[in-house]
């Protein structure tokens, strides 16, 4: 999340971006896209993601609520395999 903030995401120019990029973020098998600033799409291709899916959703919701761009927005978290 800190890296995305350092990249100025989200910004006035975009509200759609990849929040988590699997191995590039040290989370092999997990990707999270933010679409339209109001939906988080969680995509997984690793067994650990399935085992910890509720924790992933919980942590993601907590992190997004702490971000200044999402304090007044209800983010829908959608899981897709």
């Amino acid at each position: 999340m800190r890296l995305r903030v350092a990249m100025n995401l989200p910004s006035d120019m975009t509200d759609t971006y990849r929040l988590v990029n699997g191995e590039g973020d040290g989370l092999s098998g997990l990707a999270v896209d933010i679409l339209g600033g109001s939906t988080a799409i969680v995509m997984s291709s690793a067994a650990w993601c399935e085992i910890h899916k509720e924790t992933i959703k919980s942590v993601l919701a907590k992190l997004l609520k702490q971000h200044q761009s999402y304090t007044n927005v209800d983010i829908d978290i959608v899981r897709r395999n």
Side-chain angles (χ1 to χ4, degrees):
M1 187 80 160
R2 282 183 242 130
L3 180 58
R4 301 312 181 265
V5 170
M7 294 170 62
N8 198 31
L9 293 172
S11 71
D12 293 337
M13 301 292 287
T14 186
D15 59 2
T16 300
Y17 60 97
R18 178 146 289 173
L19 179 65
V20 176
N21 191 27
E23 287 187 22
D25 288 322
L27 296 167
S28 182
L30 179 66
V32 179
D33 290 338
I34 303 295
L35 303 176
S38 62
T39 303
I41 306 295
V42 179
M43 297 160 285
S44 63
S45 62
W48 75 267
C49 295
E50 182 63 26
I51 293 167
H52 299 289
K53 64 185 172 190
E54 294 306 317
T55 301
I56 292 167
K57 287 175 64 176
S58 174
V59 169
L60 180 60
K62 182 178 177 181
L63 283 173
L64 289 173
K65 286 287 185 198
Q66 292 174 354
H67 190 282
Q68 62 201 16
S69 295
Y70 299 109
T71 53
N72 296 320
V73 177
D74 286 329
I75 299 285
D76 290 324
I77 299 174
V78 180
R79 201 174 140 273
R80 181 181 149 247
N81 286 13

